[in-house]
Amino acid sequence: MNQAPQLAGHLIVECLVAQGVTHAFGVPGESYLAVLDGFHKYRESIRFVINRQEGGAAFMAEAVGKMTNRPGVCFVTRGPGATNASIGVHTAFQDSTPMVLFVGDVASDQRDREAFQEVEYDSFFGPSTKGMAKRVERIDDPDRIPEYVARAFATAMNGRPGPVVLVLPEDMLTKTTAARPTARVEAVESWSDPGALRTLREMLLAARKPLVIAGGGGWTPQAAQALQRFAENWKLPVGNAFRFQDTFDNHHPQYAGDVGIGINPKLAARVRESDLILAIGPRLGEMTTSGYTLLKPPRPAQKLVHIHASPEELNRVYQADLAIHATMNAAARSLEVLTAPPDLPWSDWTQAANADYQANLQPQPLPGDIDMPAIVALLQKHLPADALVTNGAGNFASWTHRFFRHHGLAKGHKTQLAPTSGAMGYGVPAGIAANIVSGRVALTMAGDGDFLMNGQELATASQAGAKSIIVLLNNGMYGTIRMHQEREYPGRVESAGTQLANPDFVGLAKAYGYEGVRITRTEQFEAQLLAALERRQGTVIELMLDPEVITTRGTLSGIREAALKKN
């Protein structure tokens, strides 16, 4: 039975519903009014979440992509809307997260005249290994909307997941079409070559100090569980790549720790000492490799097995001894059936790796009335096991990175949302989106500078009926940059660009509809955390952190003194 034609803008929304999208994030614009009207038409099936800035909207969509392994969806208007959203697109690209950004554009008859807010999106988002998107396309024919949307979802999910940009001319959206959505697109699995698996087994049998580094996009609970069975069969130590700390259960006796910023020095030494690295999923980028020093390109000293969902990623930076093209679900399921011998020579090596991780959980004494390891221990004690822990970029994130322990995907839930792109301002919108879409508890760790980059999205949470708990570490500075300044140019403080004059964060939280409380001593925190968990609205818990406490291992004064001695 033929259905009546509808506006192209309405069809866009109907196609999203057909792809299983339940929430889209964005800032409204006159360039895509017909799509906004489509959200009204299909309001029983999909919700448009109104954001306060396009960067926050794009971060929310990226967070949903991380949580679900299906594209998070964001809508923005032309020009400034798209450029504001680019930070989320770049994060999705570097983090290998499926995402689709829709950009309302100038009308077709006004193109190439530098019309109001006109941007050339092919050039701006530039699909390439150095770009921000896997694909950029413009839809000029409304009858082809289902084709373009389905291809965007397939491109975003298949191979190495990532973002796709679809450009929507304003006049195209107001045309009518009788086209209807295509079927829901599913990601395609790429299976490991059986011959490569035999070679991998031979390499394992020849090893004495193997180490798994797991991470990257595309992991499911089933894949994480299969990885765990593989590691258990072969008694392998497993580390998680930078900001993918929920890939392997941190409570497991074979867990070796996170291979990222602020890496345990003993784990770093273990990576260098290993004679076989099994990198399952990560790109092995700058942060996971400590600036390409733990594994040195192009040919690492260690034997390297690199398993990745994208053939273009394999042998791009590192020439692996064995490169295997496979998606994470297929790779892990292939690995778990590799038969291990009854006796393996590295049991002591694996036990020592976990012992090093356990020892790294013991904190160093640091000054001030706020004991951050104790704060994280209270989070660990009271947050539910499926709580989502989010953060942006900054030294403040190192506290949860080092001391919080994820059960994660192996227990059925993704529990960490954090940007491997190093984008500040990610944690607040990510936590709000996580709560909106899943209803689970969302805990955001934020710094004062980081919070102010997207703190306005608390208004989005209040309007959407969502809540998150934000632990805001206020030390009055851009701490990470200050740390680097003290290492390289010690003693330049007043005019060096890192000191912050902050607002009243408690008052600001309340103005947005959150509760706000300020903590000056560790013993005040537990009661406020418990109250926040019970409260229907969101809460900002501001911690007044001693500026000296700049890392989990040392102080600003210590860094400065070491730099002055060196110079």
Side-chain angles (χ1 to χ4, degrees), residues 42-332:
Y42 293 103
R43 62 189 179 279
E44 299 300 322
S45 302
I46 190 170
R47 181 181 182 187
F48 181 70
V49 178
I50 305 167
N51 288 92
R52 299 314 195 264
Q53 206 263 4
E54 292 89 354
F59 278 149
M60 288 194 182
E62 198 277 347
V64 171
K66 271 194 174 80
M67 288 172 58
T68 65
N69 282 323
R70 291 190 65 82
V73 172
C74 181
F75 280 85
V76 298
T77 195
R78 60 201 176 201
T83 54
N84 280 345
S86 65
I87 188 171
V89 177
H90 182 251
T91 297
F93 189 85
Q94 288 222 324
D95 289 40
S96 302
T97 303
M99 174 181 170
V100 178
L101 175 72
F102 291 88
V103 180
D105 197 23
V106 301
S108 301
D109 61 353
Q110 297 178 16
R111 286 184 65 191
D112 303 324
R113 294 174 173 171
E114 198 182 343
F116 181 61
Q117 298 181 336
E118 184 176 7
V119 168
E120 176 51 61
Y121 299 104
D122 281 340
S123 300
F124 182 73
F125 289 106
S128 73
T129 56
K130 296 182 180 179
M132 283 191 283
K134 291 183 71 177
R135 195 179 191 97
V136 181
E137 293 192 319
R138 179 185 180 90
I139 308 178
D140 290 309
D141 182 354
D143 291 339
R144 295 183 64 187
I145 285 173
E147 171 193 343
Y148 279 97
V149 173
R151 180 161 60 240
F153 272 67
T155 303
M157 290 188 290
N158 285 322
R160 175 184 166 187
V164 173
V165 177
L166 288 181
V167 181
L168 311 173
E170 183 177 359
D171 55 329
M172 182 278 294
L173 293 173
T174 60
K175 294 178 181 178
T176 58
T177 175
R180 287 297 176 264
T182 61
R184 175 182 166 112
V185 174
E186 302 293 346
V188 177
E189 298 282 7
S190 299
W191 286 86
S192 309
D193 171 51
L197 291 171
R198 288 192 293 270
T199 302
L200 170 56
R201 186 174 187 276
E202 292 169 359
M203 294 174 73
L204 277 168
L205 293 174
R208 290 298 178 268
K209 296 180 178 181
L211 177 68
V212 174
I213 302 176
W219 286 92
T220 64
Q222 295 75 21
Q225 290 157 10
L227 170 65
Q228 183 169 308
R229 289 189 290 270
F230 164 64
E232 289 169 347
N233 291 341
W234 286 85
K235 298 179 175 58
L236 294 164
V238 181
N240 287 328
F242 176 55
R243 289 183 172 162
F244 290 101
Q245 287 171 249
D246 56 357
T247 309
F248 191 83
D249 188 350
N250 302 176
H251 297 77
H252 196 282
Q254 291 168 223
Y255 184 56
D258 62 296
V259 187
I261 292 177
I263 186 173
N264 179 359
K266 289 187 177 180
L267 178 56
R270 194 170 297 278
V271 174
R272 293 188 180 97
E273 188 181 348
S274 173
D275 60 1
L276 177 62
I277 298 290
L278 279 71
I280 308 175
R283 292 188 293 114
L284 296 176
E286 178 185 354
M287 295 299 102
T288 296
T289 62
S290 295
Y292 305 100
T293 62
L294 299 183
L295 287 84
K296 294 185 178 180
R299 194 80 178 181
Q302 310 92 324
K303 293 283 186 182
L304 174 62
V305 176
H306 195 183
I307 303 175
H308 202 275
S310 170
E312 289 80 13
E313 193 63 38
L314 295 167
N315 296 318
R316 183 171 71 87
V317 177
Y318 290 99
Q319 297 174 14
D321 295 274
L322 178 62
I324 299 177
H325 173 217
T327 51
M328 294 306 96
N329 186 52

Side-chain angles (χ1 to χ4, degrees), residues 242-243 261 391-398 401 418-427 445-447 449-451 453 478-480:
F242 176 55
R243 289 183 172 162
I261 292 177
N391 62 264
N395 277 13
F396 64 85
S398 63
H401 285 4
T420 69
S421 68
M424 293 180 69
Y426 177 90
M445 188 70 71
D450 176 81
F451 176 84
M453 294 211 173
Y478 287 124
T480 304

